[in-house]
Amino acid sequence: MRLRALLDTDALGLKLLGGEDELDRTVRGVMTTDLRDPSRYLSGGELVLTGLAWRRDADDSEAFVRILAQAGVVALAAGEAELGDIPDDLVVACARHRLPLFAVHESVAFATITEHVVRQVSGERAGDLAAVVDRHRRMMTSGPAGGGPDVVLDLLGSDLDLRAWVLSPTGRLIAGPKVAGPGLPADICAELAAEHLAAARTGRRGPHRVTLGAATYSLFPIRSSGHRPAAAGGGRSAQASRDVRETVLSDWLLAVEADAGDWPAERLDLLQGVTQLISVERDRRDAARTVRRRLAQEVLELVQTGAAPAEIAARLRVAAPVLLPGLGAAPHWQVVVARVEWEGGDIEAGPVAQSLLEEILVDPLATGPEPSDRIAVAHTGDEAIALVPLPAVSTEHDGSESGILADALLESVRDPLSAGLDGDGQVTLGVSAAVHSAEGLRGALEEARHARRVAAARPGRVCAAGHQELASHVLLLPFVPDDVRRAFTARLLDPLRDYDRRHRAELIPTLEAFLDCDGSWTRCATRLHLHVNTLRYRVGRIEQLTSRDLSRLEDKLDFFLALRMS
């Protein structure tokens, strides 16, 4: 479509501020950004929409416009909602670089312009396929007639014969076609998410092609169509940095069962348009989380500032109906803490940790319009903190309570996220026990934070620890310095290893079995299929080589810890 056609559509609320001689330029796409340097996401021919959040002073306009012109952008449309009138320095910069400039009235949403351009461009390039995009747009609208992304994917199947799914960065199936046909298995979802995250870390432009078994998939990134709502607790938006690591763990993806390498440009453009439409749904869901994020932030601030339990309890009574509608009694609560850390670079990880923790905690069995409607996550600094309601638990700290388990969280997300961390990042999680009152919430927060520190001391890119481990020797072992660990284990175990190597005596396995059997000669001999006298001979040899006495509790404990640390 031509730039001139945009001015002919009154509903778009565009006013030309400069570049009248350039209105015959052809628009091939649209992008919304407030990045100071969006060049990595531009391929040329775009109409760029911006809310001007990147502008801090007059000099910023020249740098921003120069980047757009060099990338082949055909025009810039600036919103009036942030600053009112468009700054003169931006008008001058656009004139200098012969870049047409439009002002967008504050009453017009960027999503409206995006949908219009996508529909028009797709129509001109793909003929009657424009009807598909239009139908997708209508189905994405709210209200009884709207069907959300699931219906969009159904239309891709019926109109373009394409099977497609929307996945989260952890491999959770967010949307898929509802028409008859086999679904996408959970293990395939996880593999596709891992492949997408690994490709995104390389900086390669999508779609990324992946072959799993006999099927080939093309993976399209789904990014926010504009400013995401500010997360509770303040801070920059997740897109306010050029470092891909700030968003790689939170962006959705569209997985299409087809080889996009064989597609004509028109079909690629159409699928890119579909991802832009789905990104509107992503923003809508993010906006719906604002209330829950605010509730979590308010409770967190009360807990951390030492507010009276009665005040915290009152705030929890407000949160309970929002998170668990219809629940009669006040729930129990758990706290989950997450942190995303990267090696090198000034990266604000708090918003991504918040978005990631919301995703990790989604209950697949939850009912409602969106499975994440029972999650309240705040972030402070680089740490995300979730307040998780539990309808019922048994007793605290007796090992029998229901609720979130650290191992289960870890198992569901370890493989995909490890691919996105790509050797220079770590995600750590800590889970508290359940508490039944406001008085216990501060202790639960500290417990979850301590568990997360235990997880952070472990090897691996994605680690988690639960409250059960805080009452065990497991809590202490990760914090023993490596040189102390090596010296301690070498002093006790190296003589046994050397003896086993020379004589094949199996002293180390014998020691492990003896401790596992609590020093019972009969049970240990039975487990090892040995005569008791043979076992006594081996234990005597262990004591002789190490100058220790396995009848003493202190020496048993030293051997036990040495084996655990080795």
Side-chain angles (χ1 to χ4, degrees):
M1 66 178 297
R2 305 285 184 184
L3 283 175
R4 193 180 304 278
L6 295 173
L7 292 173
D8 296 333
T9 307
D10 294 336
L12 300 183
L14 296 177
K15 180 173 64 176
L16 184 64
L17 300 182
E20 186 173 0
D21 296 336
E22 306 292 335
L23 292 181
D24 287 328
R25 291 183 179 185
T26 299
V27 180
R28 294 193 296 161
V30 61
M31 176 190 179
T32 299
T33 185
D34 275 307
L35 298 176
R36 296 171 68 85
D37 179 6
S39 57
R40 67 183 298 155
Y41 303 113
L42 297 170
S43 57
E46 294 95 342
L47 167 67
V48 170
L49 308 175
T50 181
L52 299 177
W54 48 265
R55 183 186 178 277
R56 297 172 185 170
D57 55 48
D59 292 337
D60 290 340
S61 293
E62 170 63 21
F64 183 75
V65 173
R66 182 173 62 253
I67 288 169
L68 299 189
Q70 291 173 349
V73 168
V74 298
L76 174 66
E80 295 178 337
E82 184 76 17
L83 301 178
D85 293 336
I86 305 303
D88 290 340
D89 48 88
L90 182 59
V91 177
V92 172
C94 287
R96 182 181 298 115
H97 291 278
R98 301 181 63 83
L99 185 69
L101 175 64
F102 298 94
V104 182
H105 194 271
E106 63 181 4
S107 64
V108 178
F110 282 175
T112 300
I113 301 174
T114 297
E115 293 169 4
H116 177 82
V117 173
V118 168
R119 188 166 65 251
Q120 296 301 318
V121 171
S122 298
E124 293 176 1
R125 293 193 174 188
D128 57 2
L129 289 182
V132 178
V133 179
D134 184 63
R135 290 168 64 191
H136 291 172
R137 180 193 62 78
R138 287 186 283 107
M139 290 298 183
M140 293 292 289
T141 59
S142 59
D150 291 316
V151 177
V152 173
L153 300 181
D154 276 342
L155 291 173
L156 278 178
S158 61
D159 289 38
L160 300 180
D161 196 26
L162 292 175
R163 299 178 69 226
W165 301 265
V166 177
L167 305 178
S168 78
T170 64
R172 179 174 67 92
L173 183 62
I174 294 171
K178 298 300 184 184
V179 295
L184 197 62
D187 59 334
I188 297 296
C189 290
E191 288 189 62
L192 291 176
E195 292 286 350
H196 168 72
L197 289 173
R201 284 302 308 276
T202 67
R204 291 187 285 117
R205 191 184 298 273
H208 310 297
R209 287 178 289 164
V210 177
T211 299
L212 298 179
T216 298
Y217 300 87
S218 296
L219 310 179
F220 295 79
I222 299 174
R223 300 185 176 93
S224 173
S225 65
H227 262 332
R228 293 184 183 172
R236 298 174 297 169
S237 72
Q239 288 196 337
S241 170
R242 291 162 52 186
D243 197 317
V244 68
R245 291 178 293 181
E246 288 206 15
T247 58
V248 68
L249 298 181
S250 57
D251 283 339
W252 289 359
L253 69 138
L254 177 68
V256 182
E257 190 177 3
D259 187 348
D262 300 330
W263 288 0
E266 290 82 359
R267 177 161 287 201
L268 282 172
D269 286 347
L270 181 64
L271 263 293
Q272 294 290 358
V274 169
T275 64
Q276 290 179 348
L277 292 174
I278 295 177
S279 73
V280 175
E281 172 69 8
R282 169 67 188 271
D283 288 340
R284 184 191 67 78
R285 296 192 185 190
D286 262 5
R289 290 178 174 178
T290 301
V291 172
R292 295 188 293 278
R293 287 173 170 176
R294 185 178 299 117
L295 285 172
Q297 190 70 34
E298 291 174 354
V299 173
L300 176 63
E301 289 174 356
L302 290 174
V303 170
Q304 294 191 127
T305 57
E311 187 178 358
I312 299 174
R315 183 56 57 186
L316 289 176
R317 284 194 295 272
V318 173
V322 176
L323 300 177
L324 286 177
L327 187 68
H332 292 63
W333 302 91
Q334 271 183 291
V335 176
V336 182
V337 173
R339 193 179 182 93
V340 179
E341 296 176 285
W342 301 99
E343 298 171 8
D346 181 17
I347 301 170
E348 185 187 22
V352 172
Q354 181 183 44
S355 177
L356 185 60
L357 187 54
E358 287 171 335
E359 172 57 40
I360 290 172
L361 292 176
V362 166
D363 180 3
L365 301 180
T367 59
E370 163 64 15
S372 63
D373 60 359
R374 296 182 177 180
I375 300 166
V377 183
H379 82 80
T380 173
D382 289 339
E383 182 181 68
I385 302 169
L387 189 65
V388 182
L390 302 175
V393 296
S394 55
T395 58
E396 298 179 41
H397 298 286
D398 66 352
S400 64
E401 64 256 55
S402 59
I404 295 172
L405 300 177
D407 289 345
L409 289 184
L410 186 62
E411 184 65 25
S412 64
V413 302
R414 180 195 287 114
D415 291 343
L417 293 184
S418 294
L421 295 165
D422 192 34
D424 67 344
Q426 186 182 40
V427 172
T428 50
L429 303 166
V431 183
S432 79
V435 295
H436 61 82
S437 66
E439 289 87 346
L441 207 55
R442 184 175 305 159
L445 175 59
E446 291 307 313
E447 190 172 59
R449 282 175 165 163
H450 202 159
R452 192 208 63 77
R453 288 193 289 270
V454 171
R458 294 172 175 168
R461 291 295 166 187
V462 185
C463 301
H467 64 92
Q468 301 92 337
E469 300 175 55
L470 302 186
S472 165
H473 65 278
V474 175
L475 170 65
L476 303 177
L477 297 185
F479 299 100
V480 177
D482 288 342
D483 54 345
V484 175
R485 182 193 303 256
R486 286 191 294 268
F488 181 75
T489 58
R491 188 177 300 115
L492 280 174
L493 301 183
D494 279 3
L496 307 183
R497 293 188 179 114
D498 292 342
Y499 191 87
D500 281 348
R501 193 161 41 249
R502 294 195 309 269
H503 302 285
R504 298 182 180 179
E506 298 188 350
L507 296 185
I508 291 290
T510 300
L511 176 62
E512 291 175 333
F514 187 72
L515 295 175
D516 283 345
C517 293
D518 298 323
S520 169
W521 297 99
T522 303
R523 284 194 288 125
C524 184
T526 301
R527 176 185 294 190
L528 296 176
H529 305 289
L530 297 175
H531 192 278
V532 172
N533 289 340
T534 303
L535 175 62
R536 290 184 183 277
Y537 171 80
R538 290 187 182 180
V539 170
R541 179 63 67 183
I542 291 170
E543 292 175 334
Q544 179 185 16
L545 291 170
T546 60
S547 300
R548 297 297 184 106
D549 183 354
L550 278 168
S551 65
R552 298 178 67 247
L553 176 62
E554 296 92 335
D555 288 342
K556 286 180 182 177
L557 180 59
D558 284 347
F559 277 122
F560 176 80
L561 293 175
L563 289 169
R564 283 299 181 97
M565 289 191 293
S566 63

